[in-house]
Every structure is written in C-alpha cells, then in structure tokens.
Amino acid sequence: MKARHESGLNEAGLWARFAALAGIAHECGQLALRHFSDQSSLGVTMKGSQDFLTIADGAVEALFRRRIAEAFPEDSVMGEEMGGGDAARLWIIDPIDGTANFARGDRQWCVSIGFVLDGVPELGVIHAPALGETFLARRGHGATMNGVPIKAASTHDLRRSTVEYGWSPRLPAGPYLDAVGRLYGLGCNVKRSASGALGIAHVAIGRTDAYGELHINSWDVAAGLVIATEAGARINDFCSGDWITEGNPILVTVPALWDTLFDACGIAAAPKPTKMGGA
Ligand code: IPD
Ligand code: CA
C-alpha cells in the first residue's frame, strides 16, 4: 500500500495501531485497577498543591512504554510521568487521569492514550476500568463507548446545559472563578469532576454539553480530541503552537452552544501557566 504520511506510515500501519490500542489500554487499566483496589499500596505523594502522584502512575506508564517498544519499536512515546517530545509517530499517554480521585478511592479516573501522526491526532482511547467504560475512536471512522457508536448531545438551551469547567494549580484561580460566574449567569449547570479526559468523553457521549479549561496538557486531551470530534462535538484549535510539550486552552462543546460558551469560558484570553505539570 502507498505511504500517505511524511512519517511513511500507511493505512495498514494505522489500522495495526488501532487494533492494538484497546488491548494495550486494557492491560494498563488492569494494572491501575489492581493498585486502586488496594488503596494502602498507593504510596501517595504530592507534586505540589492539589497535584497528586501515586506509585501506579509511573508503573502504568512504564508498562505502556514496554508494550509500544515491543509492538511498534519505531514509534515514540510522550507521557505525563516520564516526558518525551514531538515526533512523527507519537503516542501520548496519561497513565492515570483523575489522579486526585484515584488516590482517594473515587472511581472517576482513566487511562488516556492518543496516537498523533505527523502532528495530527489519529487514534484515541479513554479507558475507565473502575467504571467499566472504554471510549475509542479513529479519525474519520466514528467514536464508540464499549463498542456502541456515540454522539454528542443536541442541546440548544443554556438553561438545560451542563458544562464541566476544569481547573489546575498551574493557573491562578481568578480567571477560572470569573468564567464560572459567567457560566452560572447564563443558566448553565457547572461542574468539575477532576478528570479532563473523562470530561471530554462525557461531552462525546452526551452526558454534558461542554468541557473547558484555561490550560491543559496534551496527555490529558490527545485521545479526547479524536473521540469528541468523531462524536460530532466542536473543538478549539488546541493543536497549535507547541501544544504537545506546552499544552493549550481547551474547549469542547456541542455545536449549537459553541459561540456563547467560547466567550463565557474566556478561552481567547487564557493566561499562560506559571508551572507545567508532569515530567
Ligand atoms: C488533571 C485532571 C484535571 C484537569 C487538570 C489535569 P491529573 O490531571 O485532568 O481534571 O483539570 O488540568 O492536570 O493530575 O489527574 O493527571
Ligand atoms: Ca492528567
């Protein structure tokens, strides 16, 4: 088959990676779940204020890196715990997104894995083993949850909408609180569940109408970008500048609410983070 990418990867190569993705995510999820089931083994430490780390984060990322090295030795990996940089064939992993939940026995966490080819997010899986939910997508081929096609909601009325608006200690609270005030003023139900990846998956499946955050890292959203796009949600130009290493603001919404929520969330005027999370 003819190569269609700068990286030399062809359709068959992309399908091979897609075929492997759910299995590798499942294995990573099982390892994380074993740790989650024995909370006394987590060895919780703090990277900073409200920034949790457990033994499982590093262990899951290490397992993932071994599996990719075995199956696709020519590929590169970027991960929250062990770092990495841009590459033509790049896997991006957040071994545990929602670590604060994970560390306190709350099941709202996931393994999030994206595959980016020549700068374009092509594949994504968000696997939440403690919830029994796996969101999966390939660009141009739709999105599923546990094998069933999913679609974003068709909400038009802000007074019926639910918006998840994320926050991290990388930014001061002021712009976040201002945006939350504007969202309440519009009649939105505002929530924060502490997993950006699952927050985006929930827009894709129609449980919420938007996920916004003034700064988020590539490992939190690489998978969700593909899943939410394929489910019909609208997304800002997250993949611009040094998005892989520096992150960007994110906004994912149902199409009808885009204009209003883009303004209310303050995405265009998002401040730069003062410190980066991860490695
Ligand atoms: C965090 C979560 C949180 C989001 C932060 C992320 P972590 O990741 O996704 O919901 O608001 O921006 O850093 O620390 O749980 O891996
Ligand atoms: Ca994360």
Side-chain angles (χ1 to χ4, degrees), residues 110-126:
C110 63
V111 179
S112 178
I113 303 167
F115 180 68
V116 178
L117 185 61
D118 300 323
V120 178
E122 292 280 354
L123 313 176
V125 65
I126 294 174

Side-chain angles (χ1 to χ4, degrees), residues 51-52 80 94 96-100 166-168 170 192 194-197 211 213 215-217 220:
D51 198 358
F52 290 75
E80 175 165 14
D94 190 340
I96 295 173
D97 186 54
T99 306
W167 172 85
S168 83
R170 296 183 297 278
R192 177 180 185 266
S195 163
Y211 184 87
E213 187 159 344
H215 175 267
I216 201 158
N217 287 304
D220 296 309

Side-chain angles (χ1 to χ4, degrees), residues 257-270:
L257 300 182
W258 173 264
D259 290 335
T260 314
L261 293 180
F262 185 84
D263 290 343
C265 288
I267 294 299

Side-chain angles (χ1 to χ4, degrees), residues 30-87:
Q30 287 306 110
L31 174 58
L33 198 53
R34 283 198 294 279
H35 283 284
F36 182 70
S37 306
D38 180 10
Q39 289 274 309
S40 66
S41 77
L42 288 184
V44 179
T45 52
M46 302 300 287
K47 292 194 265 187
S49 173
Q50 296 298 336
D51 198 358
F52 290 75
L53 181 66
T54 76
I55 285 171
D57 296 75
V60 171
E61 187 169 324
L63 171 63
F64 177 75
R65 285 174 183 270
R66 283 200 301 279
R67 292 293 175 262
I68 294 300
E70 289 158 8
F72 307 108
E74 64 280 23
D75 293 3
S76 302
V77 176
M78 157 96 172
E80 175 165 14
E81 305 310 332
M82 296 169 197
D86 202 353

